[in-house]
Amino acid sequence: MSAATPLPQERRLVTAIPGPKSQELQSRKLGAVPAGVGTTLPVYVSRAGGGVLEDVDGNSLIDFGSGIAVTNVGNSAAAVVARATEQLAAFTHTCFMVTPYEGYVAVAEQLNELTPGGHDKRTALFNSGAEAVENAVKIARAYTKRTAVVVFDHGYHGRTNLTMGLTAKNMPYKQGFGPFAPEIYRVPVAYPYRWLTGAENCAAEAAAQAIEIITKQIGAENVAAIIIEPIQGEGGFIEPAKGFLPAIVEFAKANGIVFVADEIQTGFCRTGQWFACDDEGIVPDLITTAKGIAGGLPLAAVTGRAEIMDAAHSGGLGGTYGGNPVACAAALGAIETMKSEDLNGKARQIGEVMLGRLRAMQEKFDVIGEVRGRGAMIAVELVKPGGKEPNPEATAAIAKACHAEGLVVLTAGTYGNVLRFLPPLVIPEHLLAEGLDILESAFAGV
Ligand SMILES: *Cc1c(COP(=O)(O)O)cnc(C)c1O
């Protein structure tokens, strides 16, 4: 099928999921790719766009995952394809550190403008989220001349050695892959649903505990950076209780610590704002971005205060591919799409529809402990009825039932008990509604 054929925006199941061709490819995969590279749903994709993924068997699935919050603008968005195609034909690589090109500078300018805060900023580009986080640590250490890095319970920052160490959850991210980098310290996060003394006490108590650990156990004067996701992604879409983030930012500022917002999952209109920090008016010193930045091409960035970003010596930052010209062209196309299609507005509409439907489901199904999230970053935390004991079994069963019906959903959470929804922001309304119908039937079935 040619790429020019429009992709019907419909769910269509013509075989079992996965179908025979997918199963054949999956058996090839098992013989060619290591077991460590797992797949959530072994349906092999042939085309994707809008709100659907079409597979090699001719099925069309509704996408509530966006390839983990990447295709915010949809797959193969027109402006991304046009700009990347033009760049692909012009040149594919020179290495920005050898002979530079405009696209990199243009992306840096866009990020400097769009990220929170009106101060003078600089942006460096990389290939992956983990690489961006690693570089944020390098920059913060170079600037502060300190070594300690503070991260939070339930945090996720990547799979490289340093970012594994920064990540909270052992299985599957860290198990057997140590030793991890030193000078990483973990402190509590304000997780309202599971705060023992109640959600109303959560922000103040969690901030006080975090600050006490930093001052008493680490020494604030030793801390280079505090790194936090303004909404924790892999940890289960945990929105820190309001007031927690500002308290941590204020503490960082008072103690000369670089505050790093990891917005790799939350950024680029996902939460209904350009960045999730915007919600509480947080202005991070450094912000890491990736995932949604370039419509699916690999690109990541560290953006931050000019004086901090410039602390690393010339040649100290970079990488062969960082800010690849095709990825930069795609990013400019993605950002253009976010603006022209008002994807912040779209994300907020998606959030309203989803939260409305999911809260109604919460009334009916006692495995739903909490519904939370902002914009098109919405989650349901599943519990054993009558309490708050995590229910990873029901979570897995519901995800499986959704997959069988042609709805791609992802799970998350330290306890494996969160269903998370990250639809492309361009998903048509009827597919959003149909996906939620499938989800409701899945809840009714467990
Ligand atoms: C996905 C993610 C990362 C890692 O990004 P990769 O591109 O997979 O290396 C880091 N931080 C957060 C918050 C993420 O969601």
Side-chain angles (χ1 to χ4, degrees), residues 61-72:
L61 287 75
I62 299 174
D63 183 12
F64 273 13
S66 299
I68 319 186
V70 169
T71 52
N72 294 5

Side-chain angles (χ1 to χ4, degrees), residues 28 56 68 73 87 90 106 136 181 199 211-212 250 271 274 285 302 329 388 393:
R28 273 173 60 194
V56 290
I68 319 186
V73 296
Q87 182 58 49
I211 289 166
E212 178 165 313
E250 196 184 315
T271 66
W274 278 100
D285 297 312
V302 182
K388 288 191 175 181
E393 300 82 11

Side-chain angles (χ1 to χ4, degrees), residues 15-47:
T15 70
I17 301 292
K21 286 183 182 160
S22 279
Q23 287 184 30
E24 202 180 304
L25 285 164
Q26 182 67 1
S27 70
R28 273 173 60 194
K29 182 249 179 193
L30 294 176
V33 180
V37 183
T39 40
T40 301
L41 174 57
V43 154
Y44 282 73
V45 174
S46 52
R47 292 199 304 168

Side-chain angles (χ1 to χ4, degrees), residues 262-321:
D262 180 349
E263 292 241 21
I264 289 168
Q265 192 156 157
T266 48
F268 295 103
C269 309
R270 177 51 58 187
T271 66
Q273 295 183 291
W274 278 100
F275 297 95
C277 277
D278 295 334
D279 195 59
E280 282 188 279
I282 300 292
V283 178
D285 297 312
L286 301 181
I287 178 167
T288 54
T289 54
K291 292 200 167 93
I293 192 172
L297 275 82
L299 190 69
V302 182
T303 300
R305 293 185 189 281
E307 66 275 20
I308 301 177
M309 294 295 294
D310 281 335
H313 50 273
S314 178
L317 305 176
T320 307
Y321 293 113

